[in-house]
């Protein structure tokens, strides 16, 4: 259990999924849902879609998540935890999907287990 790592994937609310047919674009899941489904199908241990109340990416203006309808530039964050080997395999498999995101690897220093 001590060999777990966490990656954080940062993207905008309006993030598109490339290379989809017209109908898939019309009725497919949003980017975060699609990413979570792919992580689940890759049998990764833990995936969280963290709610961002406010923030910005790439020196843009601050986006406030207080409205019912989010701005397409509003930052979103998916956090994935598993072994380094499994995460690297997932990143390689999904590199086309992730090409317009920022992926940050966080080393888990302390693991408290029950």
């Amino acid at each position: 259990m001590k060999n777990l790592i966490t990656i954080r994937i940062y993207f905008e609310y309006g993030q598109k999924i490339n290379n989809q047919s017209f109908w898939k674009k019309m009725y497919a899941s949003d980017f975060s849902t699609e990413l979570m489904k792919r992580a689940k199908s890759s049998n990764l241990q833990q995936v969280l879609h963290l709610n961002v109340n406010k923030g910005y990416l790439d020196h843009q203006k601050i986006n406030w998540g207080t409205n019912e309808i989010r701005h397409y530039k509003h930052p979103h964050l998916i956090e994935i935890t598993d072994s380094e080997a499994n995460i690297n395999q997932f990143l390689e498999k999904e590199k086309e999907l992730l090409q317009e995101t920022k992926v940050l690897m966080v080393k888990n220093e302390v693991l408290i287990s029950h």
Side-chain angles (χ1 to χ4, degrees), residues 68-97:
E68 289 181 19
I69 300 173
R70 296 198 187 245
H71 190 274
Y72 72 99
K73 293 280 190 188
H74 188 79
H76 276 252
L77 169 61
I78 296 275
E79 187 175 88
I80 301 173
T81 302
D82 206 315
S83 71
E84 187 169 1
N86 289 346
I87 286 181
N88 284 331
Q89 184 178 13
F90 174 75
L91 291 174
E92 181 61 32
K93 178 180 173 186
E94 301 299 342
K95 69 180 170 185
E96 185 177 337
L97 177 69

Side-chain angles (χ1 to χ4, degrees), residues 102-113:
K102 292 191 183 232
V103 179
L104 175 69
M105 189 173 292
V106 180
K107 183 176 179 181
N108 295 343
E109 296 287 339
V110 178
L111 180 64
I112 301 171
S113 58

Side-chain angles (χ1 to χ4, degrees), residues 5-37:
I5 65 166
T6 299
I7 60 168
R8 292 183 178 158
I9 302 171
Y10 299 93
F11 57 96
E12 295 173 344
Y13 178 73
Q15 178 77 31
K16 302 293 182 205
I17 301 171
N18 296 326
N19 301 323
Q20 285 189 315
S21 69
F22 171 78
W23 293 110
K24 197 76 155 140
K25 285 180 187 175
M26 291 293 294
Y27 297 108
S29 301
D30 61 41
F31 185 82
S32 62
T33 303
E34 183 64 26
L35 181 57
M36 290 181 72
K37 285 178 180 178

